[in-house]
Amino acid sequence: MKRILILSILISACSDYKLSGDGDGNNGGDGGDDTGGTPGDGPEGACDPELFPAERVGTDDGCPTEPEGGFTPIEEWVGGSGYGCLSQPLVADLDADGNPEVILTLINLLGTKGWLTVLDGRTGVTLWQTSTDNFAYGSPPAVADIDHDGKGEIIAVREYQSALLGEGEYAAVRFEDDGTETWESEHFTGASFDWATAPVISDMNHDGTAEIVVGRVILTISGDTRGEGQYGRGSYGQALGISESSVPAVVDLDLDGTEEVIVGDARYDLDGNTLWHDDSQEDAMIGVANLDDDPEGEIVAISYNTIRAVDTDGSIIWGPTEIPSANILATPAIGDLDDDGYPEIVTAGGNRLVVLNHDGTELWRASITDKSGASGASIFDFEGDGIPEVVYIDEVEMIAFEGSTGRIKFYDSDHTSGTMFDYPTVADVDADGHAEILVCHNGMSYAVTAFGDADDSWAPVRQVWNQHAYSINNINDDLSVPVTAVPAFTTHNTWHSAIALDGALPQLDLQAEVLEVCTDDCDEGVVWVTARETNRGTEDVTTDTTLSLYAEFESDLVPLDATLVPATLVSGWSSEARVFEVDAADLVGATAVWVFADDDGAGGAVAECREDNNGFRYAGPFCE
């Protein structure tokens, strides 16, 4: 209970009263007798607590309820005016002020390099942007508090020479939350990572210090090179002789207590040493899930226009399955779409979005407009009905499908993109308690759109989506990197998916009432105050609460007494009355007495839908 007084000054009461009496306040829904004691013996006559048994008082509409879920996306804001975007937009509260920011790479409409940019998550207004446009246009940043200062740091990919024009030259760069550049790594060729690189931040050896994985390169948080693998880097393969994309995963796949860098044809330790390699398998962009009944994880690998599932030991479970007419496929989104206890896999390419079961069989497919593939999907149960939606962007529209059937629930044609391994981000970008969808555009007059629900009914979700390889468990809410990250495949078993928070509003609404103040015994130095708690909400109280009494002196409250009300206060009922015996001298000059429900001096014992209506004021004077 948070005490709020309707006075000109917010009055903060003390908590140095003592609890008196241990009455049980039984109301059990039947108006039964209260056999417990009450504060003081109580007078005979008007203030006798026996005159006020527990009774039905009814409920009111003080507790708001969430609107019924629906799926009616509307535009909340657009950002990046005059720019485009071809890489994943991220969400994180960089400066720890309670309001998330959007972090992304913006490009000009014709350019192949871009500016690292941070937008206000509430409005889309640009907060800061780098002064140079030398950031790889297809590379999303990654965000985490890697130096334990309570704020987020950004890792981005800087391009010095495009791998389209030669071997390429790239570096990783670290920025602070305010845009200050901290370091730049040594330079690497396009064989190590390229213009479409998704950095991954994780504490690979669980020592409290994160590693930064960029393609097949492992960096320290100071930007020093710790190691580099010698085989794949998380690339789907070559197009026109040019190798493209660096989308690895970092996870403890075999549950041995140490994380591995996973690419299509190899796995590396944190020093870049090869743990496994199979030259018969292509390099691949990686997703991770548990696809069978053993406890370890499996990988979903995208190579060219094929998808395959690979077991923990590196053996192929199924595939490679070819999606005809596609040049390449999108990075996978993974989640249980049909509530069968196993995850489904969503990918796209060749003007088709395809959903596969965990065993590689097809669940459903849908027509889209993206010949090349690349851009992908994300998964979230927006309506909270147990049926997740698949949200996808192609070259000309954003589409939301019913996850279990593929039925189209929404599409928005106010979108264009050349598509480049990005996918919709689902997060609470404006801290309003509901999910939003972030979508990048290219070729329009602005770069990104935040969609919300017309009825504010979408389920609550985290205020963070910190990297392309997002699996929920990989980052804490405060942007700290888990020292021992629980692999997502052992819990919710998702990849590129969001999980709704427990956002149900509490339906308790405790209020207090002063029933009588008796001053007949003022000559004997006693004032009797009879009061009770009521539960006007629709839930029963299951915890003992405290009913407290205060004297009001101008802008100050002085605690007088308190009593326990046991956990038997059901919805729509009052407790039996409690009588407080007050020393009349304590009320000399008092302008009123107050009683507060659920006031234990430590914030209250129960969560209520309203915390501003727990007090009741009874005006004085007394014994004058």
Side-chain angles (χ1 to χ4, degrees):
M1 172 263 179
K2 185 185 297 179
R3 185 182 310 111
I4 302 177
L5 300 185
I6 309 174
L7 297 173
S8 59
I9 301 176
L10 178 65
I11 304 172
S12 177
C14 303
S15 59
D16 56 353
Y17 48 71
K18 63 182 180 66
L19 293 177
S20 57
D22 58 356
D24 62 12
N26 173 40
N27 67 0
D30 60 2
D33 293 336
D34 182 352
T35 57
T38 56
D41 296 328
E44 294 183 0
C47 283
D48 188 342
E50 293 185 2
L51 297 177
F52 303 98
E55 63 179 337
R56 186 180 297 276
V57 295
T59 61
D60 58 30
D61 59 358
C63 286
T65 57
E66 292 284 358
E68 183 178 349
F71 197 82
T72 314
I74 58 171
E75 179 185 292
E76 292 194 352
W77 54 256
V78 298
S81 178
Y83 294 96
C85 175
L86 280 169
S87 62
Q88 186 73 26
L90 305 179
V91 177
D93 183 4
L94 291 174
D95 53 4
D97 67 349
N99 296 307
E101 285 77 42
V102 175
I103 307 97
L104 72 172
T105 302
L106 296 182
I107 61 174
N108 61 37
L109 300 184
L110 300 176
T112 57
K113 293 188 290 186
W115 294 262
L116 180 64
T117 307
V118 173
L119 310 179
D120 188 322
R122 296 165 297 180
T123 63
V125 171
T126 299
L127 299 177
W128 61 261
Q129 184 178 75
T130 55
S131 58
T132 57
D133 64 338
N134 59 353
F135 291 87
Y137 74 100
S139 295
V143 178
D145 178 11
I146 59 176
D147 60 2
H148 309 290
D149 68 348
K151 298 182 179 181
E153 287 75 50
I154 304 169
I155 304 299
V157 175
R158 179 172 281 158
E159 180 177 275
Y160 286 93
Q161 181 188 49
S162 173
L164 288 168
L165 305 175
E167 66 174 2
E169 184 179 351
Y170 298 90
V173 190
R174 170 180 159 179
F175 289 86
E176 301 305 305
D177 64 286
D178 61 359
T180 302
E181 183 174 329
T182 308
W183 53 251
E184 179 181 279
S185 72
E186 66 173 293
H187 293 200
F188 296 88
T189 69
S192 301
F193 55 92
D194 69 340
W195 68 83
T197 294
V200 183
I201 301 173
S202 192
D203 187 350
M204 293 184 62
N205 59 348
H206 313 314
D207 65 350
T209 301
E211 282 72 44
I212 301 163
V213 177
V214 191
R216 67 186 189 189
V217 176
I218 301 100
L219 303 174
T220 70
I221 62 169
S222 300
D224 299 320
T225 302
R226 176 153 188 166
E228 180 176 359
Q230 59 178 315
Y231 300 108
R233 65 169 193 257
S235 171
Y236 70 82
Q238 292 188 349
L240 302 176
I242 300 169
S243 179
E244 184 180 45
S245 75
S246 304
V247 189
V250 180
V251 68
D252 182 5
L253 196 68
D254 54 7
L255 300 179
D256 67 350
T258 304
E259 297 175 4
E260 303 86 39
V261 178
I262 301 171
V263 297
D265 61 351
R267 296 170 195 170
Y268 310 122
D269 68 14
L270 78 168
D271 294 314
N273 300 311
T274 302
L275 301 173
W276 168 85
H277 169 61
D278 184 349
D279 58 11
S280 70
Q281 295 192 41
E282 299 276 1
D283 194 11
M285 301 185 294
I286 302 299
V288 179
N290 188 346
L291 301 178
D292 54 26
D293 294 321
D294 65 24
E296 293 84 15
E298 286 75 47
I299 71 169
V300 177
I302 302 291
S303 299
Y304 297 100
N305 67 338
T306 69
I307 180 170
R308 67 186 184 272
V310 181
D311 210 345
T312 317
D313 63 3
S315 60
I316 295 177
I317 301 173
W318 52 258
T321 299
E322 182 181 0
I323 306 300
S325 75
N327 296 322
I328 57 176
L329 296 181
T331 55
I334 303 173
D336 187 357
L337 300 180
D338 57 3
D339 197 29
D340 66 349
Y342 290 97
E344 280 69 49
I345 303 158
V346 185
T347 188
N351 294 327
R352 301 175 187 175
L353 184 136
V354 180
V355 177
L356 303 178
N357 293 303
H358 70 285
D359 59 2
T361 59
E362 186 174 306
L363 179 62
W364 56 264
R365 66 172 56 195
S367 295
I368 57 168
T369 305
D370 191 358
K371 177 69 175 178
S372 65
S375 65
S378 54
I379 298 169
F380 181 61
D381 182 5
F382 289 88
E383 298 167 283
D385 59 0
I387 304 174
E389 282 72 40
V390 174
V391 186
Y392 173 75
I393 48 174
D394 63 17
E395 295 176 0
V396 296
E397 59 191 357
M398 180 185 82
I399 317 172
F401 301 92
E402 184 174 71
S404 57
T405 66
R407 177 176 65 89
I408 293 177
K409 302 183 70 170
F410 172 82
Y411 72 92
D412 179 50
S413 59
D414 194 12
H415 169 74
T416 62
S417 177
T419 69
M420 179 59 72
F421 308 118
D422 56 320
Y423 60 89
T425 298
V426 179
D428 184 0
V429 302
D430 54 7
D432 68 347
H434 300 279
E436 282 83 32
I437 304 170
L438 282 179
V439 174
C440 266
H441 316 285
N442 186 44
M444 299 176 63
S445 60
Y446 50 87
V448 61
T449 299
F451 290 93
D453 182 54
D455 302 314
D456 279 334
S457 68
W458 285 352
V461 72
R462 300 176 78 192
Q463 298 177 16
V464 58
W465 193 296
N466 77 306
Q467 60 188 23
H468 190 281
Y470 179 72
S471 62
I472 301 173
N473 295 6
N474 66 285
I475 192 71
N476 295 322
D477 288 343
D478 63 358
L479 298 183
S480 61
V481 179
V483 175
T484 306
V486 177
F489 63 78
T490 68
T491 54
H492 43 78
N493 206 12
T494 67
W495 192 260
H496 293 185
S497 300
I499 297 293
L501 302 177
D502 182 9
L505 295 173
Q507 294 298 304
L508 290 175
D509 187 14
L510 296 184
Q511 300 177 26
E513 294 178 333
V514 174
L515 301 170
E516 296 280 355
V517 174
C518 296
T519 57
D520 294 345
D521 294 333
C522 283
D523 292 342
E524 299 178 16
V526 176
V527 174
W528 304 94
V529 179
T530 305
R532 67 182 182 184
E533 276 191 358
T534 62
N535 180 8
R536 303 283 182 167
T538 58
E539 292 181 3
D540 297 342
V541 179
T542 59
T543 303
D544 292 349
T545 58
T546 303
L547 181 68
S548 58
L549 177 69
Y550 295 82
E552 175 189 314
F553 296 91
E554 295 182 355
S555 62
D556 195 15
L557 287 182
V558 175
L560 299 176
D561 207 347
T563 183
L564 287 176
V565 178
T568 52
L569 189 54
V570 299
S571 168
W573 278 74
S574 76
S575 70
E576 291 189 346
R578 297 303 200 255
V579 62
F580 296 94
E581 181 179 359
V582 182
D583 189 331
D586 292 337
L587 294 177
V588 173
T591 53
V593 292
W594 283 81
V595 286
F596 287 93
D598 190 28
D599 178 33
D600 59 6
V606 298
E608 301 178 58
C609 67
R610 292 188 60 183
E611 302 282 7
D612 61 351
N613 63 350
N614 290 41
F616 186 98
R617 184 178 186 270
Y618 190 100
F622 311 98
C623 294
E624 293 182 8

